[in-house]
């Protein structure tokens, strides 16, 4: 499952043996195959350790996004005990993408200081997400989920409005297992935890089987409910 975001990555591996030891010579290192090519010892950078060596090789050509690189090593120790191993990794240079996010019901207002954030149009192998209120100060990477319910607007961290009601913006970005990051998307809304003002100058005028009511509108009222008796 390993992946790297570099199309020409450095490949490093170690060969160690705490017993009779190994040496970077042809009699101990039988064959090294990287991406189907036999690699000569002279083409690797070799760094000695106390019981073996570290080998480093830079892939000399770019691999396409999604390609797999396989490494095979066959080696003996000084007593001709043999070991071989194969491992591989994927080239991932494209990164995830996201089209937009929405906050609560996307009406432009919420009274929840930790509103529901819904991710939309996500693709590309995303594994983590990060959130911010200013696009500069980010809450650390957290495991990806299609919805987020624990990002608080009432803290001054991450550029959030420090507990005050009012307009705010939430920014979000993704990354994948190879640490490629998506572009940043955002959505605007208002945090409103205060009720509307009080109705004033209520009057009632009797009519034919009806009562006409009039009043001065209350600040920030969206609808009114009338009770009889």
């Amino acid at each position: 499952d390993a992946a790297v975001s570099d199309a020409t990555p450095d490949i490093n591996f170690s060969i160690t043996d705490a017993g009779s030891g190994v040496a970077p010579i042809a009699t101990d290192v039988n064959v090294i195959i990287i991406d189907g090519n036999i690699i000569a010892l002279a083409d690797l950078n070799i760094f000695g350790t106390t019981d073996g060596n570290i080998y480093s090789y830079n892939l000399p050509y770019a691999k396409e996004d999604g390609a797999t690189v396989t490494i095979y090593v066959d080696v003996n120790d000084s007593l001709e005990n043999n070991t071989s191993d194969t491992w591989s990794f994927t080239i991932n240079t494209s990164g995830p993408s996201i089209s937009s996010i929405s906050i609560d019901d996307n009406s432009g207002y919420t009274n929840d200081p930790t509103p529901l954030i819904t991710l939309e149009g996500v693709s590309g192998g995303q594994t983590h997400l990060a959130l911010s209120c200013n696009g500069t100060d980010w809450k650390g990477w957290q495991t990806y989920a299609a919805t987020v319910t624990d990002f608080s607007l009432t803290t001054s961290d991450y550029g959030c409005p420090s507990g005050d009601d009012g307009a705010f913006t939430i920014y979000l970005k993704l990354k994948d297992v190879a640490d490629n990051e998506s572009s940043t998307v955002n959505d605007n809304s208002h945090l409103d935890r205060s009720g509307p003002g009080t109705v004033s100058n209520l009057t009632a005028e009797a009519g034919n089987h009806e009562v006409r009511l009039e009043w001065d509108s209350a600040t920030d009222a969206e609808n009114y409910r009338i009770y009889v008796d």
Side-chain angles (χ1 to χ4, degrees):
D1 294 333
V4 298
S5 59
D6 187 350
T8 57
D10 288 319
I11 298 170
N12 302 285
F13 57 90
S14 62
I15 300 174
T16 61
D17 182 80
S20 58
V22 292
I25 56 178
T27 55
D28 283 1
V29 180
N30 299 323
V31 63
I32 297 172
I33 300 175
I34 298 177
D35 201 28
N37 301 308
I38 298 177
I39 308 301
L41 288 175
D43 293 332
L44 289 96
N45 292 317
I46 303 174
F47 307 93
T49 68
T50 57
D51 60 358
N53 297 276
I54 296 173
Y55 299 79
S56 178
Y57 179 75
N58 179 256
L59 205 63
Y61 48 86
K63 296 289 289 184
E64 293 182 357
D65 184 45
T68 298
V69 177
T70 300
I71 300 96
Y72 170 78
V73 176
D74 186 274
V75 63
N76 295 340
D77 65 12
S78 64
L79 296 178
E80 300 303 313
N81 298 303
N82 179 261
T83 299
S84 64
D85 201 1
T86 302
W87 68 100
S88 61
F89 59 88
T90 301
I91 303 295
N92 181 357
T93 57
S94 58
S97 64
I98 177 171
S99 61
S100 63
I101 59 173
S102 63
I103 300 169
D104 273 355
D105 60 1
N106 214 26
S107 65
Y109 285 87
T110 179
N111 62 0
D112 187 351
T114 55
L116 174 67
I117 304 168
T118 303
L119 286 65
E120 301 167 344
V122 176
S123 63
Q126 64 286 343
T127 59
H128 293 80
L129 61 84
L131 292 152
S132 171
C133 284
N134 61 9
T136 301
D137 303 305
W138 294 89
K139 184 178 182 181
W141 293 106
Q142 62 190 73
T143 302
Y144 169 80
T147 57
V148 180
T149 59
D150 60 354
F151 185 66
S152 176
L153 302 170
T154 58
T155 174
S156 59
D157 294 338
Y158 325 120
C160 294
S162 189
D164 297 329
D165 291 3
F168 66 89
T169 303
I170 290 180
Y171 297 82
L172 184 143
K173 61 182 178 180
L174 306 172
K175 76 172 181 177
D176 61 19
V177 68
D179 289 334
N180 297 304
E181 294 186 13
S182 71
S183 57
T184 300
V185 295
N186 64 76
D187 193 29
N188 303 314
S189 193
H190 287 74
L191 179 61
D192 178 10
R193 294 173 293 176
S194 301
T198 303
V199 167
S200 59
N201 299 323
L202 174 63
T203 61
E205 180 181 347
N208 183 17
H209 300 290
E210 67 180 14
V211 176
R212 177 181 176 83
L213 301 176
E214 292 185 354
W215 61 85
D216 293 339
S217 61
T219 304
D220 294 331
E222 183 176 84
N223 54 66
Y224 300 87
R225 181 171 295 167
I226 300 171
Y227 297 87
V228 178
D229 294 331

